[in-house]
Amino acid sequence: MRAVPNWAVATAAAAPLLLVTGWTVAQARQPAGYDPIRDTISELAGQDATDAWIMVGALVLLGCCYLAVAAVLHAAGLPSRFLLAVGGVATIALVAFPRPPVGGSLSHGIAATVAVLALALWPAGSALRLPRGPDATHPDAAQLPWAFRRTVGLGATLVLLALFGWSAFEVTSGSRTGLAERVTAVAVSLWPLLAVLSARRAHVAWATRGTTSVGPALPGVVPPDPLRPADGPDRLA
């Protein structure tokens, strides 16, 4: 099991902070008529938004956070990492297709849909590919991070898809589009952080177990590094 670098944890934690800070600052710059319960995040980066660069910058950095986590979260497996990367690219693509002052934008709608669906489905990708839980036939193998266990991953995807459905309903026939969009966006941005933390915890537990002594330490014997394959007998100091 590969270690999760410290910067990956910081990057994953930065994602929801960037999102919430971005829309909080951006909506404070809008005219009095902007209502965060009714109006969407996309309007803060739209063509007629005041200081649209604030939300544009937050979305670009958010997408970069997803891409960075996907690059190093090896415990999730390639299918899930691919979906997370797609979500990051689609998040960045939102700023390339800003919402017009009047009406909607098909390109913007497609990018937003791809981003949310990819970020909602990526927990299930690892859940379907990886084992259900601890491998009883190989007790010495590294334990599967809890975020990637089948019941947890599928449950997370179901919750995120339900939030996506709520957002879609509000867009078509509701009056709380902004609220639904914000709740959904925060939820999908939090799961990469939980996944990184679970992978880091599993790696620490595996490494600690690998360094546990099974007998009394011998004077002058250097214990092997559990993170590197053994290349011969122990060397004497």
Side-chain angles (χ1 to χ4, degrees), residues 44-86:
L44 298 174
Q47 297 176 1
D48 62 339
T50 303
D51 292 334
W53 63 269
I54 298 174
M55 200 64 227
V56 167
L59 289 174
V60 171
L61 291 175
L62 177 64
C64 291
C65 288
Y66 293 146
L67 288 172
V69 172
V72 298
L73 192 57
H74 301 281
L78 188 58
S80 283
R81 294 167 62 198
F82 174 76
L83 286 173
L84 181 57
V86 169

Side-chain angles (χ1 to χ4, degrees), residues 104-192:
S105 168
L106 179 60
S107 299
H108 183 86
I110 292 175
T113 301
V114 170
V116 177
L117 281 179
L119 294 171
L121 291 173
W122 85 273
S126 59
L128 294 174
R129 175 181 176 273
L130 298 175
R132 292 178 180 269
D135 188 354
T137 61
H138 300 86
D140 295 331
Q143 296 297 316
L144 188 68
W146 64 264
F148 305 134
R149 294 173 185 171
R150 189 162 299 181
T151 54
V152 177
L154 292 178
T157 289
L158 289 176
V159 171
L160 296 177
L161 287 177
L163 291 174
F164 173 74
W166 177 35
S167 297
F169 168 79
E170 294 293 342
V171 168
T172 56
S173 57
S175 59
R176 297 173 293 180
T177 305
L179 176 62
E181 189 178 73
R182 282 163 171 78
V183 173
T184 303
V186 169
V188 298
S189 70
L190 283 174
W191 190 254

